[in-house]
Amino acid sequence: MSKQRRILEHPVLPVEPGETVTFYWNGEPVEGRKGEALSSALIAAGVDAFGRNAHDHAPQGIFCANGQCSKCLVIADGKPVKSCMTPLREGMKVNAADDLPELPETGEAARIGDVPEVRVDVLVIGAGPAGLSAAVELGRLGIATLLVDDKHEPGGKLVLQTHKFFGSVEDSQAGTRGIRIGRKLAEAVAADPHVTIWPDSTALYVYSDRKVGILRNGKYHLVSPRVILNAAGAREKSLVFPGNHLIGVYGAGAFQTLVNRDLVRPASRLFIVGGGNVGLIAGYHAIQAGITVVGLAEALPECGGYKVHADKLKRLGVPIYTSHTVLSANGSERVESVTIARVDERFRPVAGTERTFACDTLLVAVGLDPIAEFTAQAQEAGLPVFAAGDAAEIAEASSAMFNGRIAGLAVARALGAKVEEVPAAWQAKAELLKSHPGKIEPQVFPEAEEGVMPVIHCLQEIPCNPCSTVCPTESIRMDGDPLLGLPRYDGRCIGCAKCVLVCPGLAVTLVDYRRDREMPIVTVPYEMSHVPLAVGDKVAGVDIDGNRLGDFEVAAVQQNRENLTRLVRLRVPRALAKRVVAFRLQGDEATKPMPEAAATGENPAMACLCERVSAEDVRRLIRSGVTDINQIKAVTRAGMGACGGKSCDTLIRSIFRQEGIDPGRITPGTKRPLFVEVPLGILAGEGKGE
């Protein structure tokens, strides 16, 4: 893999050079971008191993890029920090976290400062889609609101979403890219005098005296709100499999943070585990960044995400292996290959179906856990609390935005504001936006072969309506429900291609018979830039499932500057014109398995990555009758590492599930009092750098 991993061209994101600074990695000078996450600067410079675990000296790299785990620990200017949450500065001296730094000699007693205290009507924890939407409503009603977020800019996961959103145009800005939606919401909040935003601020705990500890730019604050809205989002789940500790095993959020926020390409060949929307979208983002996606494995018989997302990957040349699971990530220190196998109806691997694929990165996208700690703490303290977005229920960002608005109004009512009850239509729409994908209908092509017409390749009931909203002749209508129904063409098309441009699933094409009925022009959307196109080129046209239909000539390429989607016009024989949806970018050679499956027992499966507790150690205790996670912690130290048990709790519960233990029999582990680890001096009012 190249040591220079900066993305220098992107089809959607602006690539700006930024200010370059010099820092020192293990004494050697390295260049990075001022203010970017230290982890991103290191990966861009070709550094993957940030240190070695103190227990077994195994290398550690990034996993979540969200401050939730501790795999990216480094020593920066003499202090241990999470590199994913530490901005890069000129002259920083950064060392691998192979050993903890030596404690300084005892000197003068630290000067303890006053802890600032703030009173506010509403504290919103998390400036993602739900928190921003709620803050907009609260500000509109004149309610004093403090919005805190641990990132340097608001937007949450919207900052990472280069794709166009589903949902309703009216309520969710469907058809608009997530990054633009996040920017609009942030601008609206910033312009409201009733809302104060604290970036780089982490909520630590809701105390029994109803005060909330906030770490703001390295300085401790106490906030006394009348009401809390928890919109802190979610943390990623991982999986138990041999090699799950290797460098190159990433969570989907970390991967998207690197390629879409920081424009760093951390992989050359990527394999994905998990066929929900997160995994499917991350695969598409990887291809936009010029990364080969070798394949995707999903344990269920069908992908759980939207069919249009899965179809996009298939059409680009990514094989999707349903009813398959990951058996192992293989390699000595970093991922060198991944082995998968088919599973039976009880999700047990079927012997003889193993396949190994060469790759340098394994993306784990197997679901999210709500960050519900603040809700529970506020309830225990007797402080009124509401939750919205993923902190309340895992769903799409379009749902989080709409439910954030509803939560904002509910908070306002709790404060005594004169707010009407949320209309029943809002509640119904909120339920629709978080609904799971519906049934899949067979594809039916229009019979006519004259003039110009859209061909709709969207076959699954999902909450989405931008194509019907933008059609100037109202020729695309939703069949049945105006949001959840399937779009149907019935009318007069003028060939404007607005439906092609706006479709989030890239599932609308335009077939034009007007100039040549035997060789009509098919207009398809294209959102890549690493494979350039020119008039006269031949491309491999494919149908909805990615099946190759033939090589077709490019007649024209048109860039839409507002939408950032290119319209590629292909000359296609009449018999195939309605079936062409896109063209393939990845060839079969790029995604072929290795001649022989690799051995899967070379690396242990870890249940606790911080304390290096193997899954087998936990399994032995469970089989001996232990059902208390606290007892497992006492015996093995699982959960005693720097992440505070945020990662291993899910992994240990999955081992219980594999062992057939009823969840009702499991005694949960005691949570740590603080959300993240904090130096004790900070809590006493010591300032940053003192």
Side-chain angles (χ1 to χ4, degrees):
M1 184 187 295
S2 169
K3 288 189 175 182
Q4 179 48 259
R5 301 172 180 173
R6 297 284 180 186
I7 296 172
L8 303 178
E9 182 182 14
H10 196 280
V12 173
L13 299 168
V15 179
E16 300 169 352
E19 182 181 344
T20 300
V21 297
T22 299
F23 67 106
Y24 297 88
W25 170 248
N26 291 334
E28 296 294 325
V30 182
E31 287 191 344
R33 305 280 168 80
K34 182 180 179 181
E36 71 179 336
L38 181 52
S39 56
S40 297
L42 288 170
I43 292 172
V47 177
D48 291 309
F50 294 172
R52 292 188 176 271
N53 190 283
H55 293 282
D56 61 2
H57 215 56
Q60 297 193 142
I62 198 169
F63 174 74
C64 77
N66 198 31
Q68 300 291 298
C69 73
S70 62
K71 292 191 68 179
C72 68
L73 189 74
V74 296
I75 310 300
D77 293 332
K79 293 185 178 181
V81 299
K82 293 180 179 179
S83 59
C84 72
M85 304 296 287
T86 304
L88 180 64
R89 303 186 308 274
E90 173 71 42
M92 285 181 81
K93 293 179 174 58
V94 186
N95 292 89
D98 295 340
D99 298 294
L100 291 177
E102 292 185 8
L103 293 174
E105 295 293 329
T106 303
E108 295 182 11
R111 293 190 298 273
I112 304 303
D114 294 328
V115 175
E117 297 199 25
V118 176
R119 292 186 178 276
V120 69
D121 286 336
V122 182
L123 171 64
V124 179
I125 302 174
L132 287 171
S133 298
V136 168
E137 295 297 327
L138 290 164
R140 183 177 59 83
L141 294 167
I143 296 172
T145 301
L146 175 61
L147 178 62
V148 302
D149 194 89
D150 59 3
K151 307 297 187 302
H152 69 279
E153 64 175 316
K157 289 296 186 283
L158 293 175
V159 175
L160 314 180
Q161 308 303 335
T162 63
H163 58 281
K164 291 168 281 192
F165 267 38
F166 294 80
S168 162
V169 171
E170 178 184 3
D171 300 305
S172 309
Q173 302 183 57
T176 303
R177 300 187 188 279
I179 49 175
R180 289 190 174 182
I181 296 173
R183 199 175 302 127
K184 288 180 182 178
L185 286 173
E187 289 170 354
V189 170
D192 195 307
H194 301 100
V195 181
T196 301
I197 305 177
W198 282 5
D200 295 311
S201 301
T202 303
L204 298 177
Y205 198 79
V206 183
Y207 297 104
S208 59
D209 61 0
R210 308 174 88 180
K211 295 179 181 179
V212 184
I214 306 285
L215 183 62
R216 182 189 183 196
N217 290 318
K219 181 75 175 177
Y220 190 53
H221 293 67
L222 286 172
V223 176
S224 297
R226 293 171 61 193
V227 179
I228 288 177
L229 174 60
N230 179 17
R235 62 177 62 93
E236 295 197 63
K237 295 180 180 179
S238 189
L239 283 175
V240 176
F241 57 86
N244 62 347
H245 63 286
L246 293 175
I247 291 175
V249 176
Y250 282 7
F255 183 82
Q256 290 175 305
T257 296
L258 287 164
V259 298
N260 289 346
R261 188 192 72 184
D262 298 337
L263 290 171
V264 173
R265 185 183 296 113
S268 294
R269 291 174 58 82
L270 174 72
F271 198 95
I272 302 170
V273 178
N277 278 338
V278 172
L280 296 170
I281 291 170
Y284 187 74
H285 290 168
I287 297 175
Q288 284 187 316
I291 297 167
T292 298
V293 179
V294 180
L296 181 148
E298 164 58 48
L300 294 172
E302 297 290 341
C303 286
Y306 293 167
K307 184 180 187 302
V308 286
H309 282 318
D311 289 345
K312 283 193 293 186
L313 287 188
K314 291 178 184 177
R315 297 195 294 256
L316 290 169
V318 178
I320 294 180
Y321 302 94
T322 53
S323 295
H324 277 73
T325 190
V326 58
L327 290 185
S328 66
N330 314 307
S332 57
E333 293 198 339
R334 70 159 298 130
V335 174
E336 297 172 12
S337 66
V338 61
T339 301
I340 67 171
R342 182 177 294 279
V343 295
D344 61 19
E345 64 279 359
R346 296 177 62 184
F347 300 104
R348 297 171 303 189
V350 178
T353 65
E354 300 87 354
R355 279 182 277 193
T356 298
F357 298 86
C359 60
D360 53 45
T361 305
L362 176 62
L363 189 150
V364 180
V366 292
L368 303 167
D369 275 330
I371 295 177
E373 291 96 317
F374 303 118
T375 303
Q377 292 162 8
Q379 290 171 339
E380 188 174 343
L383 183 61
V385 62
F386 296 79
D390 283 347
E393 182 179 3
I394 304 300
E396 295 301 303
S398 54
S399 170
M401 288 187 290
F402 199 71
N403 281 280
R405 293 177 61 189
I406 293 175
L409 297 179
V411 169
R413 282 199 305 276
L415 289 169
K418 294 182 179 180
V419 180
E420 295 182 3
E421 289 291 325
V422 174
W426 277 36
Q427 298 287 7
K429 187 165 289 187
E431 291 300 314
L432 276 180
L433 287 172
K434 64 184 181 184
S435 62
H436 294 289
K439 61 181 180 179
I440 298 173
E441 298 286 351
Q443 187 163 24
V444 178
F445 297 108
E447 294 183 2
E449 292 186 351
E450 58 185 18
V452 59
M453 69 184 72
V455 178
I456 298 170
H457 306 271
C458 176
L459 311 179
Q460 185 180 46
E461 293 179 346
I462 56 175
C464 188
N465 69 6
C467 60
S468 64
T469 304
V470 301
C471 181
T473 62
E474 299 183 350
S475 296
I476 299 178
R477 300 181 179 88
M478 305 303 290
D479 190 4
D481 188 277
L483 181 60
L484 202 58
L486 290 175
R488 307 291 189 195
Y489 167 67
D490 181 18
R492 181 178 62 87
C493 177
I494 59 174
C496 66
K498 288 183 177 180
C499 55
V500 182
L501 286 167
V502 80
C503 177
L506 308 185
V508 181
T509 60
L510 205 64
V511 182
D512 190 347
Y513 298 92
R514 291 175 296 186
R515 291 189 177 181
D516 189 338
R517 189 168 179 271
E518 295 304 316
M519 191 66 74
I521 298 294
V522 179
T523 301
V524 301
Y526 184 58
E527 294 186 329
M528 303 295 162
S529 61
H530 65 287
V531 179
L533 292 176
V535 174
D537 287 349
K538 291 290 187 73
V539 295
V542 294
D543 66 10
I544 190 171
D545 295 314
N547 299 311
R548 186 168 180 151
L549 299 175
D551 292 334
F552 308 124
E553 181 186 352
V554 175
V557 180
Q558 178 184 344
Q559 175 72 54
N560 183 282
R561 297 188 181 279
E562 174 64 23
N563 185 278
L564 300 178
T565 300
R566 279 188 280 180
L567 296 176
V568 179
R569 295 185 167 89
L570 307 175
R571 301 185 194 277
V572 182
R574 178 165 60 93
L576 299 173
K578 294 174 186 176
R579 295 173 58 194
V580 172
V581 188
F583 48 92
R584 185 177 295 182
L585 295 187
Q586 295 188 166
D588 293 337
E589 285 297 317
T591 59
K592 285 176 60 176
M594 298 170 69
E596 294 184 5
T600 59
E602 295 179 354
N603 294 299
M606 290 294 174
C608 178
L609 297 171
C610 296
E611 295 296 315
R612 309 299 288 182
V613 179
S614 73
E616 192 55 37
D617 288 339
V618 173
R619 204 179 304 277
R620 276 196 295 267
L621 287 172
I622 294 172
R623 289 176 178 175
S624 72
V626 175
T627 57
D628 187 338
I629 293 179
N630 297 294
Q631 188 174 351
I632 293 173
K633 177 179 179 180
V635 174
T636 67
R637 293 185 56 88
M640 295 182 70
C643 85
K646 296 185 184 73
S647 302
C648 57
D649 184 76
T650 300
L651 295 177
I652 291 171
R653 287 179 181 276
S654 72
I655 298 172
F656 272 113
R657 188 167 56 250
Q658 292 167 7
E659 293 297 311
I661 305 299
D662 187 323
R665 293 178 53 201
I666 302 170
T667 301
T670 302
K671 298 288 186 183
R672 286 210 188 159
L674 296 183
F675 184 65
V676 297
E677 59 274 27
V678 179
L680 288 174
I682 293 289
L683 299 178
E686 184 181 72
K688 186 175 183 179
E690 294 178 8

